[in-house]
Amino acid sequence: MPFYRAPVKDTLFVLEAVAGLYNQSHVPGFEAVSPDLVEAVLNEGGKFCAEVLAPLNLPGDQQGCTRHPDGSVTAPDGFKAAYKAFCDGGWGGLIASEHHGGQGLPYTIGAVMQEFIAASNMAFGMYPGLSEGAQAAIEVVGSPEQKAKWLPNMVQGRWTGTMNLTEPHCGTDLGLIRTRAEPNADGSYAITGTKIFISAGEHDLSENIIHLVLAKTPGAPDSVKGISLFIVPKFIVHDDGSLGARNAVSCGSIEHKMGIHGNATCVMNYDGATGYMLGEEMKGLAAMFIMMNAARLGVGIQGLAQADAAYQNAVEYAKGRLQGRSLTGPKNPEGKADPIIVHPDVRRMLMDARAFTEAMRALVLWGAIRVDLSRKAPDAAEREMADNLISLLTPVIKGYGTDRGYEVATNCQQVLGGHGYIAEWGMEQFVRDARIAMIYEGTNGIQALDLVGRKLGAKGGRGTQAWLSLVGSDLAAAAADDRLAFLTAPLGKALADVQAGIMWLLQNGMANPDNAGAGATAFMRMLGHAALGHMWLKMAMASQAALDAGTTDPDFHTAKLITARYFAARVLPETASLRAQLEAGADVVMALPEAMF
Amino acid sequence: MKVLVPVKRVVDYNVKVRVKSDQTGVELANIKMSMNPFDEIAVEEAIRLKEKGIATEVVVVSIGVQQCTETLRTALAMGADRGILVQTDVTTESLAVAKVLAKIAAEEAPGLIILGKQAIDDDANQTGQMLAGLLGWAQGTFASKVDPQGDTVNVTREIDGGLETVALKLPAIVTTDLRLNEPRYASLPNIMKAKSKPIANKTPADYGVDMTPRLTTLKVTEPAKRQAGIKVKSVDELVAKLKEMGAVA
C-alpha cells in the first residue's frame, strides 16, 4: 500500500523564496497571510490528506463507483465519511469569500492544497475540486440572488457542483452542442439533452448537486456564440433554501475507465429539467472559461501531484530494496546486496522525478500568485501584467505539467521493477490516474495549439515579452555569481532556443498554419523546460543565499543546488532537439497521404 | 472546571530517528517536530469535556524551546482556549517539568490536569506521577475512559490484568492511554482562530524552578541489529538447541 507525506517544507520554501507570498500585503486578502499561519494551515491540511484521504486511494481505485438500478451512484466505501470530515474541517471553503462562509485565503494557498489532495487521492479530490470551479463561475457571473441562493451551501460542501460541456458528438468543438434550453413561463428554462464525461455528475457525498450546463436557447446560432450557461440543480431549491422535488436530470450510466475509478464519470440525461440562466444569454462559453482556466491549472497540479506521490514511494522502495551490487563496489557490505538506489539508472529516474516535481511545484505556485494578483492587485497595470503572464503559462502548466507528470510517474513505477506493475504497490494506479490529466480540460495537443496559436501572440505578445524579460533579468542577476554558472549558461541557451522557436513560428506559422500545428507540442515542451529552468534559477539563487548566510538547514539547500545541477545538465539541453523538431516544419508530418495510413 | 493540559514537542512519529554521529543524543536539527501523540489525546479529551459542558476552559502549557509555540498553536487550533509557554533551551527532565507544572497548577487552580502517559521521545512515563506526588493529588494513569461526576472523576485504567476503574477526588491528575479517544483534525476555521488566541510567555525563573538537568547522558547508540534466527525441524531439536544455548536446563 503506497503512502503519502505532504511536502510542507518544500512548499513553504517555494512560497517564500520563489512565489513571494509574503511580499503581497498590498493585495486584499493577503494582509493576514503570515508564515506561521501558512505553516499551520499546510501542516494540518497535509496531515488530513496523508491520514484520511491517502489510505482511501488504493481501495477506492479497486472498488470504484457503483451505479444502482434507480440511477443513483455511490462513491467507494469511506469516501462519504471522508468528504464529511473534509467539509467539517472547512477545507472546501479555503479560498471562498468570507461573505459566503469561506475563509477568503489566497488562491495560491488553495493551489497548494489542491496538490496535497490530488497527490493523496486524485479521484476524491475531484468531487470538491469540480465544485470549486462551479462556485467560481457563479461567483463571477451570477446575480446577487443566485450567489445568495447557491453559494453558501456549496462553500460548506453540503452541495457540490459540476461542469457539463461535452456531448456524445462534441467535446473540443463546443459550437456543435445540441442541448436545448426552452424558456418556461416563470423565467426558468427547460433543459433537454445529453452530456457525457461529467465528473462527479452523480454521487452520494452531498445533499444536492448543482450542474452548470451549456445549452442553446431557441434561435441561437450554431456556433460557440450561441451557447448559454444554466444552473440545473439535482433537487429544486425553494426560496427558503429547503430542497424540493427531484429535477428531471439523471445519470444514465457511469463510464468504465483507465483511472480515477473513485470518481463517478457520468452520462447525464436532461429531460426538460428546470434550469436558470447564469450570466448573459449566449455568453455561456465566456462564463465557462472562468471555470476552465482555473480547472486547467488544477489539472496541471494533478500532473505534479501524481508525479510527487509516485516519487515518494519510488524513493522509499529504492532505499529498501536490496538487489545487486553497486558498479563501483559494495555500498552495503554487511548486507547480501546493495539497495537499488546505488545504481545510476535508478538514480536517473529519481533525479528526473525530483528535478521535475520541485520545479513544477515552484512554477505552479509562482503562477498561482499571478492568478491572485490578476484578480486582486489594487493597481490595474499590476493586474494586467499578472494576467498576461498566467495566460501564457496556463497551457504550459496544464500541457507540459501533465505530460511530464505522467512520464515521471511511469519512471517511478519502473523503479519498482515487477512490483511496479502489481496493483497492491499502488504505482500503476498513479500512472493510470495521471494519464487522464493529459486528456481532459482540453487535450495536451489543444493546450499546445492554444499556446502557439493564441497565447504567444495575445495582446501583441505582451505576456510573452514580459516572461522573456523576467527570465532574462533573473539570468542577469545571477550572472555575477560564478557558482551558478552551471545553470545560467544552459538556461541562457534554452531561452535562446525558445526565442528562436518563437521567431520561426512567426515566420512560418502564418504562411502555413500547419507549421505551427506540427511544432506546437515540441514548442510547448521547450517552453516548459525553460520555465522550469527559470524556477531552478530562482531556487538555486535562494538556496545559495541561504547557505552563504549560514542557514540552519544546509542539507535542504545543498540538495536544491545538486538537483538544479542535474536539471541544468540533463533536462535543459533537450531544448536544442525540440527546436530542431519544430523547425523541421509541417511537411515531414503531413507528407504521407491520408489514404496511405 | 478548568482543565490544564501539558503538551510536549517531540520528533514526529513518522520520522525515522537517527543517532547523532557524536553519540550525544538523537538528531533533532531540521527534523519534523509535532505534538506528542499521547498529549494530542489529552487535548482531545479536555476539549470533549468542554463540549459536554463539564470543563469551562482548556489551558495548554508547553515547556521547552521557543518553537513549542507551534505545538501550543496546534492545541489551540484543535479547540483549547489559551496557552502558556515556559521557555527554556535546556533538556527537559520529568522532575523539573513536574515542578514547573505544579507551580502553574497552583496559579491556575485547574480541577483536572490531563497529561499524556508518556512522550514518544524518551518514553519516561513519570511526569504525571511526579506531578501528582508534588501536588498531593489523586492520580488516574493510563486512562481509557474519563468520567467526571460532581467533585470526583471516574477513571478507567488500562492495567496488565484488564481494566480497573478508580474514583478520584478532584482536583486530580489523569494520564492518557492510546484508546481514550481519537484526536480530531484541526478545522481550517479553528486554525485561523487559533492565531488570535493568547499565549503567555514565561520562563522557569518566573516559577522559581531550576531546570538544570540532573541526569548526565553518557552515550546514545542505536539498538543492536537483530541477528538472523535459525529454523528447527522439530520440538526435540528446539529443546536440544535451547539446552545447548543454556536457555533451559
Side-chain angles (χ1 to χ4, degrees), chain A residues 24-102:
Chain A
Q24 316 294 346
S25 53
H26 63 295
V27 181
F30 281 74
E31 307 89 347
V33 177
S34 61
D36 53 342
L37 175 73
V38 172
E39 186 172 351
V41 168
L42 299 192
N43 270 328
E44 292 298 324
K47 187 167 136 188
F48 181 85
C49 291
E51 294 179 5
V52 178
L53 301 184
L56 294 173
N57 196 32
L58 185 77
D61 177 67
Q62 291 180 342
Q63 185 188 2
C65 296
T66 310
R67 181 180 175 278
H68 304 282
D70 64 355
S72 66
V73 173
T74 44
D77 294 344
F79 272 43
K80 188 170 181 170
Y83 180 72
K84 186 174 183 304
F86 180 84
C87 296
D88 289 348
W91 296 105
L94 188 82
I95 63 167
S97 92
E98 287 159 296
H99 189 65
H100 301 302

Side-chain angles (χ1 to χ4, degrees), chain B residues 61-129:
Chain B
V61 49
S62 192
I63 302 169
V65 294
Q66 180 63 40
Q67 291 91 322
C68 292
T69 310
E70 292 161 21
T71 315
L72 290 171
R73 290 272 173 229
T74 305
L76 297 176
M78 288 173 72
D81 296 295
R82 63 185 167 89
I84 300 169
L85 170 69
V86 182
Q87 203 205 321
T88 173
D89 291 336
V90 305
T91 305
T92 50
E93 290 180 355
S94 305
L95 183 59
V97 167
K99 284 180 182 170
V100 173
L101 292 176
K103 295 283 186 177
I104 294 175
E107 253 181 48
E108 295 280 348
L112 205 54
I113 303 178
I114 310 180
L115 307 88
K117 73 169 181 181
Q118 66 198 65
I120 62 167
D121 48 5
D122 51 21
D123 280 336
N125 190 346
Q126 47 195 15
T127 304
Q129 294 87 330

Side-chain angles (χ1 to χ4, degrees), chain A residues 521-571:
Chain A
T521 293
F523 179 80
M524 179 170 74
R525 190 174 175 92
M526 186 155 80
L527 184 53
H529 283 344
L532 292 201
H534 180 215
M535 292 298 113
W536 273 119
L537 181 61
K538 283 182 168 293
M539 291 193 282
M541 289 167 81
S543 283
Q544 189 60 62
L547 287 167
D548 291 347
T551 171
T552 55
D553 197 353
D555 285 359
F556 177 85
H557 295 287
T558 304
K560 280 280 174 210
L561 289 169
I562 291 170
T563 312
R565 192 178 288 275
Y566 179 92
F567 188 87
R570 298 273 309 214
V571 182

